[in-house]
Amino acid sequence: AAKEQELKEQVSLKQKVVTLLDEQKRKTNVVSEEFRQLQLEQKRLLLERNKLSSENTQLSRNLEAERKAIQRQQQLIDDANAAARIARDESEVWKKEIDAMKKR
């Protein structure tokens, strides 16, 4: 009877060990899947960061090109204004000369 009881206890212990091992295996699989998901998310985030970085670089280039274009336009406006002042001044000179000729 003692031998039979010892055998039952060994079987019970073996069952507990198998149950614990199965539970540990299940937990390991869950953690492994979570880790895999985290790796995929990390990869996705890295790709997104690289995409955003590229977009930022392109936007910076575009902004610099726009700034230069605005500078060129402003220079054209300044040149046109200077030409208009010169033309006004010249027309005043011509007007005075014409008025002087009329008085003669």
Side-chain angles (χ1 to χ4, degrees), residues 60-74:
S60 293
R61 286 183 188 137
N62 292 349
L63 182 62
E64 182 60 20
E66 285 293 322
R67 187 186 67 72
K68 287 180 180 178
I70 289 170
Q71 281 180 331
R72 284 190 300 272
Q73 289 173 347
Q74 186 60 50

Side-chain angles (χ1 to χ4, degrees), residues 1-2 4 7-9 16 21-22 27 32 37 42 44 51-54 59-60 67-68 70 73 75 77 79 81 94:
E4 197 174 301
L7 192 59
K8 282 182 181 180
E9 287 176 7
K16 285 180 183 179
L21 286 173
D22 285 346
K27 288 178 182 179
S32 178
Q37 291 296 327
Q42 181 184 26
R44 186 191 68 75
K51 178 184 168 204
L52 290 173
S53 179
S54 293
L59 287 172
S60 293
R67 187 186 67 72
K68 287 180 180 178
I70 289 170
Q73 289 173 347
Q75 187 60 51
I77 289 169
D79 291 349
N81 287 338
W94 283 107

Side-chain angles (χ1 to χ4, degrees), residues 5 11-13 15 22-23 26-27 30-31 40 47 59 64 73-74 80 84-85 92-93 100-101 104:
Q5 182 62 31
V11 167
S12 177
L13 284 173
Q15 286 174 340
D22 285 346
E23 181 62 20
R26 187 192 66 74
K27 288 178 182 179
V30 167
V31 169
L40 288 174
L47 290 171
L59 287 172
E64 182 60 20
Q73 289 173 347
Q74 186 60 50
R85 276 192 303 279
E92 285 296 318
V93 169
M101 292 173 116
R104 288 187 207 163

Side-chain angles (χ1 to χ4, degrees), residues 32-48:
S32 178
E33 179 60 22
E34 288 174 355
F35 182 72
R36 191 183 72 76
Q37 291 296 327
L38 286 171
Q39 285 179 318
L40 288 174
E41 180 67 8
Q42 181 184 26
K43 186 176 185 179
R44 186 191 68 75
L45 289 171
L46 283 171
L47 290 171
E48 182 69 18

